[in-house]
Amino acid sequence: MRRAVAALHAELTRYGLVAWTAGNVSGRVRRPEASGDLVVIKPSGVSYDELTPESMVVCDLYGRVLDGGLAPSSDVAAHCHIYREMPQVGGVVHTHSPYASAWAARGEAIPCVLTAMADEFGGPIPVGPFALIGGDEIGRGVVATLRDSRSPAVLMRNHGVFSIGATPRDAVKAAVMCEDVARTVHIARQLGTPVPIAAEHIDQLYDRYQNVYGQR
Amino acid sequence: MRRAVAALHAELTRYGLVAWTAGNVSGRVRRPEASGDLVVIKPSGVSYDELTPESMVVCDLYGRVLDGGLAPSSDVAAHCHIYREMPQVGGVVHTHSPYASAWAARGEAIPCVLTAMADEFGGPIPVGPFALIGGDEIGRGVVATLRDSRSPAVLMRNHGVFSIGATPRDAVKAAVMCEDVARTVHIARQLGTPVPIAAEHIDQLYDRYQNVYGQR
Amino acid sequence: MRRAVAALHAELTRYGLVAWTAGNVSGRVRRPEASGDLVVIKPSGVSYDELTPESMVVCDLYGRVLDGGLAPSSDVAAHCHIYREMPQVGGVVHTHSPYASAWAARGEAIPCVLTAMADEFGGPIPVGPFALIGGDEIGRGVVATLRDSRSPAVLMRNHGVFSIGATPRDAVKAAVMCEDVARTVHIARQLGTPVPIAAEHIDQLYDRYQNVYGQR
Amino acid sequence: MRRAVAALHAELTRYGLVAWTAGNVSGRVRRPEASGDLVVIKPSGVSYDELTPESMVVCDLYGRVLDGGLAPSSDVAAHCHIYREMPQVGGVVHTHSPYASAWAARGEAIPCVLTAMADEFGGPIPVGPFALIGGDEIGRGVVATLRDSRSPAVLMRNHGVFSIGATPRDAVKAAVMCEDVARTVHIARQLGTPVPIAAEHIDQLYDRYQNVYGQR
């Protein structure tokens, strides 16, 4: 899990989702209920070039460091809140990717006007509340927003993106696709109004993509 | 053909036409009429870094897998429909490249206001219908639109680009140029109205580029 | 310091902040008061690929070359003025990064509508006066603007960005984040009005980021 | 000169000025008047990855191939016309770089609202006429436009950029800076009106940059 989480950070830089040391990926290590699950997460303020499996920080579900000499990401409380409240989530990603964060700065959901967006998000990408960093506030806003949505990504107002997935890789994919559709829909809107997609077509696209796409 | 098709996928990432595992290239292997042609295509949901000649999937013209342990691209039915209906086509490419997909989201053809666009497309890049993925619907829309056009690329509404060529390399070139002109015309339109190019000049540019450009 | 300053120029190209030979980084070498501090700075008009620790130019605080066979950056007078007037500054960066320079061309400060901007800049990124290159005029404009601001970056009108920090690395970080937020806020503004962040929240975010973020 | 011209094409791809095989660089080899100068230019339709010193084509000033098994760039007539009419020119570059070509599509000169633009171009970047490719028409339009301008670059209407310089490297620099300022001024204009720079300041910036910048 240390190797996987460390390596996935390279996708954030490859797709231009992060600048300098902003952004982070975490993964859940499932354990028997008595022990409690673990969270593997990026250390705070360390540059992407220097990330190694060893430098990843291991916490419990309350953000207490169990292993690693470095302080965890300053977003660790948000990640942990999500893991505690959403047992199906195995990976969480946070970025300030530019187009998605621009929608977030306006507090505006991204409308579902692309088949690729119906595939991955099953509808619009919703906006979560403004929240200060550090405590549970961000995590609560993420969970409250994503619970009522098929979308694995949320635009936190004036802030950026949180995405979730069954695995850290799925959460990274959602973060990459979120920026991709945020950009395309932005460009489309600059010169007019995108054509809506009928709700039933969104459902059909979503169902197919979640159940047929890829290797089985 | 496996080697060529696998390698051409690197052009999609190099030019930023694809995110994550979206997008695909295929090529036709011509065979005597009794045997029926073959199609070599990207496997579904496999990341671009992992594509090898061996991982390419070989199908017949109806998308039935003849060789390869992986499932073919979920767009295989569209590719096959094009190959069956347009015998001159030897390569097909599909992308969700951002600027071209933004025109597609508005359902708006790209007007021919650049000499490079006259060269490669011979006029506007047309819009095809909205179509659900999986069956023949997309392929029918692509063929119906491209049959009446000099353009080797079509913007499928709310979806993305399909491009064709005599070879897979030609189809990739058309996909690259489609995004390039989609972007430049978008930028031009953001601050005003591009100057039209006279129809006779478009014809002259197209004729010259198709017949004189490059090495003979 | 030669090694550090030479290496940091690679961050300017990595983040697309500079074209051709424009842009420069410098660092202060602190010495006993009697000797006077030194400034290590990029040579003028040398391409980024050719920069080495040895090619860096060493000046006194008045821009007089003490070591190095090359002429210093044509912005050396501005850097030196900043070091003379702001003793806490240990690094200075200058770029023409595109989004920030676009705000500078309009003479418009970047409003603080992103939490990442509150973190790093503690408020809007201010605009400094138009000034001709070569003498003290630019340096005076930078110092006059930054003295009254928590921001470590200033948009010099019709020109570009100057950023400062306790170290050259901190100044480079401010230049990178300046372009990042200049871009996101620009994109947000293209389709509407970003939601303001309350002044007290900006203060809380700034205080936390300056005092808690990263490794201690 | 073959080595220099072949290598400079890498700057066109590095700065995103070209897509696929579009764009070209040439250089003049000066010879005694009796022999006539030579032109070294990119071969037509060859991909940037495959360019070598040996694959460059050598022509006389009328585009007749003297050495090389490949056909020269289809823009060779324009390059040669410039070399014949402007004896001070030692290098010519042609691109369809996106932001500059967007200004060209609207037939609109780029106003000089950035100090970096005053430095390199000494004023606005002018627009040349619409012209068909192949004969002297483009070359005549380039020469007619640049003769009355301090700018080393011209936006050919509905087409793209031609830039000139004392050397091929200078012409490549002008092409890179042309796209850089085309982009920044475009972005500035998207959200308002850039502040003009006084004509006398443009003159002062231009004079200084042409005479003091860089290594002497």
Side-chain angles (χ1 to χ4, degrees), chain C residues 10-93:
Chain C
E11 302 292 334
L12 306 189
T13 52
R14 183 208 295 232
Y15 285 103
L17 307 190
V18 291
W20 210 249
T21 62
N24 38 72
V25 179
S26 72
R28 183 204 292 263
V29 180
R30 296 190 186 276
R31 297 203 301 177
E33 203 173 325
S35 324
D37 291 349
L38 302 178
V39 174
V40 176
I41 192 166
K42 178 176 178 289
S44 181
V46 174
S47 79
Y48 282 88
D49 290 350
E50 294 167 17
L51 295 181
T52 59
E54 295 71 37
S55 64
M56 295 296 108
V57 182
V58 181
C59 303
D60 67 14
L61 286 181
Y62 295 86
R64 288 177 294 232
V65 176
L66 301 178
D67 191 23
L70 298 169
S73 161
S74 65
D75 296 301
V76 69
H79 288 247
C80 286
H81 186 89
I82 298 167
Y83 287 121
R84 289 200 308 276
E85 297 293 318
M86 302 182 96
Q88 76 281 20
V89 170
V92 175
V93 172

Side-chain angles (χ1 to χ4, degrees), chain B residues 11 14-15 113-116 172-173 180 183-184 187-188 190-195 197 201 204-205 208 213-215, chain D residues 19-21 43-46 49 70-71 74 96 98-99 101-102 105-106 130 132-134 157-159 186 189-190:
Chain B
E11 302 292 334
R14 184 209 295 234
Y15 284 102
V113 294
L114 297 166
T115 56
V172 170
K173 181 188 179 186
D180 193 55
R183 180 176 56 174
T184 299
I187 297 169
Q190 286 186 302
L191 297 181
T193 306
V195 182
I197 304 181
H201 290 149
Q204 287 173 286
L205 288 161
R208 181 190 154 82
Y213 185 81
Q215 306 298 328
Chain D
W20 209 249
T21 61
S44 182
V46 174
D49 290 350
L70 298 168
S74 65
H96 301 156
Y99 284 90
S101 298
R106 289 193 310 271
F130 179 84
L132 290 174
I133 200 175
R157 219 194 73 200
N158 295 107
H159 186 171
H186 176 88
R189 281 267 305 271
Q190 286 186 303

Side-chain angles (χ1 to χ4, degrees), chain C residues 117-142:
Chain C
M117 200 172 162
D119 288 347
E120 174 74 15
F121 299 96
I125 299 179
V127 175
F130 179 84
L132 289 174
I133 199 174
D136 274 357
E137 206 184 336
I138 290 178
R140 283 202 309 270
V142 171

Side-chain angles (χ1 to χ4, degrees), chain A residues 11 14-15 113-116 172-173 180 183-184 187-188 190-195 197 201 204-205 208 213-215, chain B residues 19-21 43-46 49 70-71 74 96 98-99 101-102 105-106 130 132-134 157-159 186 189-190:
Chain A
E11 302 293 333
R14 184 209 294 233
Y15 285 103
V113 294
L114 296 167
T115 56
V172 170
K173 181 189 179 186
D180 193 55
R183 180 176 56 174
T184 299
I187 296 169
Q190 287 187 303
L191 296 181
T193 305
V195 181
I197 304 182
H201 289 150
Q204 287 172 284
L205 288 161
R208 182 190 153 83
Y213 185 80
Q215 305 299 326
Chain B
W20 209 249
T21 61
S44 181
V46 174
D49 290 350
L70 299 168
S74 64
H96 302 156
Y99 284 90
S101 298
R106 289 194 310 272
F130 178 83
L132 290 174
I133 199 175
R157 219 194 73 201
N158 295 108
H159 185 169
H186 176 87
R189 280 268 304 271
Q190 286 186 302

Side-chain angles (χ1 to χ4, degrees), chain A residues 30-116:
Chain A
R30 297 190 185 274
R31 297 202 301 176
E33 204 173 323
S35 323
D37 291 350
L38 302 177
V39 175
V40 176
I41 192 167
K42 178 176 178 289
S44 181
V46 174
S47 80
Y48 282 87
D49 290 350
E50 294 166 16
L51 295 181
T52 59
E54 293 72 35
S55 64
M56 296 296 109
V57 183
V58 181
C59 303
D60 67 14
L61 285 182
Y62 295 86
R64 288 177 293 233
V65 176
L66 301 178
D67 190 25
L70 298 169
S73 162
S74 65
D75 297 302
V76 68
H79 288 247
C80 286
H81 187 90
I82 298 167
Y83 287 121
R84 289 200 309 274
E85 297 293 317
M86 302 182 96
Q88 77 280 20
V89 170
V92 175
V93 172
H94 173 50
T95 79
H96 303 156
S97 66
Y99 284 90
S101 298
W103 290 90
R106 289 195 311 272
E108 190 177 348
I110 309 175
C112 183
V113 294
L114 296 167
T115 56

Side-chain angles (χ1 to χ4, degrees), chain D residues 26-41:
Chain D
S26 72
R28 183 202 293 262
V29 179
R30 296 189 186 277
R31 297 204 300 177
E33 202 172 325
S35 324
D37 292 349
L38 302 178
V39 174
V40 176
I41 192 167

Side-chain angles (χ1 to χ4, degrees), chain D residues 105-193:
Chain D
R106 289 193 310 271
E108 189 177 349
I110 308 174
C112 184
V113 295
L114 297 167
T115 56
M117 200 172 162
D119 288 347
E120 175 74 15
F121 299 96
I125 299 178
V127 175
F130 179 84
L132 290 174
I133 200 175
D136 273 358
E137 206 184 335
I138 291 178
R140 283 202 310 270
V142 170
V143 168
T145 311
L146 293 184
R147 252 194 193 136
D148 300 328
S149 172
R150 290 198 290 212
S151 169
V154 52
L155 310 173
M156 293 300 283
R157 219 194 73 200
N158 295 107
H159 186 171
V161 176
F162 277 84
S163 67
I164 59 175
T167 65
R169 185 170 188 82
D170 289 343
V172 170
K173 181 188 180 187
V176 169
M177 297 308 294
C178 177
E179 179 65 5
D180 193 55
V181 301
R183 180 176 55 174
T184 300
V185 179
H186 176 88
I187 296 169
R189 281 267 305 271
Q190 286 186 303
L191 296 182
T193 306

